Amino acid sequence: MRNRVALVTGGMGTIGTAIIEALHAGGCKAIATFKFPGDATAETWTRSMSDKGIEVTVVECDVADFAATKAAIAEVEAQCGPVDILVNGAGITRDNTLRKMTPDQWQQVIEVNLDSVFNCTQPLIEGMTERAWGRVINISSINGQKGQFGQANYSAAKAGMHGFTKAVAQEVARKGVTVNTVSPGYIDSPMINAVPEEIREGIRLAIPVQRFGKPSEIARAVAFLADDEAGFVTGADLSVNGGQYM
Ligand code: CAA
């Protein structure tokens, strides 16, 4: 991935930050991420990355909106050059059992977690195939593989990513572009910490390694797939879940 340009959506999140650090360590020459319109934390985050010696280009964008995303991608490419590596990491939860789930909770999760994958990948895929090199890495979830109580919306979106990955992987395989999915299990992050303590502890005990994952453990899998040496891995789903789902 040396001298490649990477775009990581959800880059300011816990896992996204670790992914950016890993891509930087791997030698990416430029890295960009998106800032949700109105997000006041972006400046502090950018400064903390800069303190670590990592300069990240931050462009305002709502990934749930196709037109806005297309425009933001054009801005990233104008600033950084053509994007070689796309990590679709933006994601939210709106947990609720189906009987109580509102259309809004369903819609928001599908738009941010699944529509965004189309919105970001579609404008970039042609450039990657024309340049005969590209990496698309979709951050799915163990809950897209096994389903999860209270996550009909999230499980559906994350499962949808697998179908997208395998379809597009076939379309671009001959052009030097790989498309893969990483499926994190429960990672030590604010998303997990939002789950009520009692449920969270039950989940931890169900993980064979008996602990939550570290963001860097997901980043390591992403860096592997982003590497030049990973060109024979495509349409794959890499589980990083402490053995919770095999
Ligand atoms: N399996 C079976 N039954 C369960 C259950 C489970 N996992 N969890 C709760 N129940 C039962 C309760 O015991 C209760 O039973 P009774 O009615 O008999 O008392 C009933 O279901 C509660 O049903 P409600 O519809 O009233 O649920 P609630 O409103 O109390 O809570 C919830 C629903 C908010 C979704 C809560 O269950 C929850 O937070 N679950 C965890 C969801 C989760 O794992 N989210 C993952 C977030 S992290 C992430 O998503 C990242 C990633 O990729 C891994």
Side-chain angles (χ1 to χ4, degrees), residues 33-226:
T33 192
F34 291 141
K35 157 193 187 290
F36 189 74
D39 181 354
T41 63
E43 207 174 303
T44 327
W45 179 86
T46 310
R47 209 173 313 117
S48 75
M49 294 305 274
S50 189
D51 289 345
K52 290 184 245 179
I54 307 173
E55 300 306 330
V56 184
T57 301
V58 178
V59 170
E60 188 167 290
C61 177
D62 174 3
V63 287
D65 178 334
F66 179 73
T69 305
K70 201 171 171 189
I73 284 174
E75 198 180 328
V76 164
E77 292 202 310
Q79 287 191 41
C80 302
V83 172
D84 305 302
I85 300 167
L86 168 66
V87 181
N88 283 308
I92 57 168
T93 53
R94 295 288 181 269
D95 294 353
N96 217 344
T97 47
L98 185 63
R99 68 192 181 95
K100 292 191 275 192
M101 189 173 285
T102 64
D104 250 14
Q105 288 175 323
W106 171 264
Q107 208 59 43
Q108 282 176 24
V109 169
I110 298 297
E111 284 176 4
V112 176
N113 297 15
L114 184 59
D115 290 355
S116 67
V117 176
F118 171 83
N119 295 345
C120 295
T121 313
Q122 201 282 337
L124 286 171
I125 203 75
E126 191 140 312
M128 288 183 185
T129 56
E130 276 168 11
R131 294 186 300 277
W133 200 93
R135 298 282 184 263
V136 178
I137 302 158
N138 299 317
I139 309 300
S140 181
S141 164
I142 184 174
N143 294 342
Q145 299 168 309
K146 70 168 190 58
Q148 171 65 355
F149 188 101
Q151 286 199 308
N153 48 5
Y154 187 87
S155 300
K158 294 298 189 180
M161 275 186 177
H162 294 306
F164 178 93
T165 295
K166 289 185 272 190
V168 182
Q170 291 177 42
E171 293 181 15
V172 298
R174 285 167 305 146
K175 310 279 187 173
V177 180
T178 67
V179 187
N180 292 289
T181 307
V182 173
S183 288
Y186 283 76
I187 306 302
D188 192 4
S189 66
M191 209 182 250
I192 301 300
N193 292 333
V195 174
E197 165 80 43
E198 207 180 292
I199 297 176
R200 193 168 70 238
E201 186 54 10
I203 291 171
R204 188 184 68 75
L205 293 172
I207 303 173
V209 303
Q210 298 281 288
R211 66 168 175 86
F212 294 124
K214 297 181 222 156
S216 62
E217 290 171 318
I218 303 306
R220 184 101 177 111
V222 172
F224 162 72
L225 292 170

